């Protein structure tokens, strides 16, 4: 089902600075009945970036971060990322807080 994706803030990870923290509305329910509402989105392909305007459509990894706290860090270590799913994100689904 289509979801609204609210961009919360940009994130740096390793040598990349084009990931974003996002809120999924409605949350994504996993096979274990876990609800993912705040996730880290990362472009799946080199040359695409979530830092600026969205190229439509964009393939993204939907990730969680080990040891996450309610405060969303500006920098995340690559080894802390767990890729949970991949998705296709369109400009119609993405909302920025600007």
């Amino acid at each position: 089902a289509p979801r609204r994706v609210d961009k919360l803030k940009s994130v740096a990870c390793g040598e990349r600075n084009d990931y974003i923290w996002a809120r999924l509305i409605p949350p994504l329910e996993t096979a274990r009945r876990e609800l993912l509402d705040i996730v880290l989105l990362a472009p799946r392909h080199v040359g695409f970036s979530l830092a600026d305007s969205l190229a439509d459509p964009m393939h993204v990894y939907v990730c969680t971060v080990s040891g996450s706290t309610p405060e969303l860090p500006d920098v995340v270590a690559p080894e802390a990322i767990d890729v949970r799913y991949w998705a296709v994100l369109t400009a119609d689904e993405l909302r920025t807080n600007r």
Side-chain angles (χ1 to χ4, degrees), residues 48-50 53-59 88-94:
F48 291 89
S49 174
L50 290 166
S53 60
L54 182 65
D56 191 20
M58 184 184 294
H59 292 247
V88 177
L89 183 62
T90 67
D92 290 340
E93 295 166 323
L94 184 64

Side-chain angles (χ1 to χ4, degrees), residues 6-70:
D6 290 345
K7 179 179 177 179
L8 302 175
K9 66 189 279 188
S10 296
V11 181
C13 179
E15 296 180 12
R16 301 201 54 171
N17 63 356
D18 57 353
Y19 296 7
I20 62 170
W21 283 110
R23 179 183 313 278
L24 304 180
I25 302 169
L28 180 64
E29 185 174 356
T30 69
R32 296 180 184 154
R33 300 234 179 255
E34 175 186 15
L35 293 178
L36 301 179
D37 61 338
I38 304 292
V39 295
L40 186 71
L41 297 181
R44 283 189 72 201
H45 302 292
V46 174
F48 291 89
S49 174
L50 290 166
D52 300 315
S53 60
L54 182 65
D56 191 20
M58 184 184 294
H59 292 247
V60 296
Y61 290 114
V62 179
C63 310
T64 53
V65 178
S66 303
S68 285
T69 65

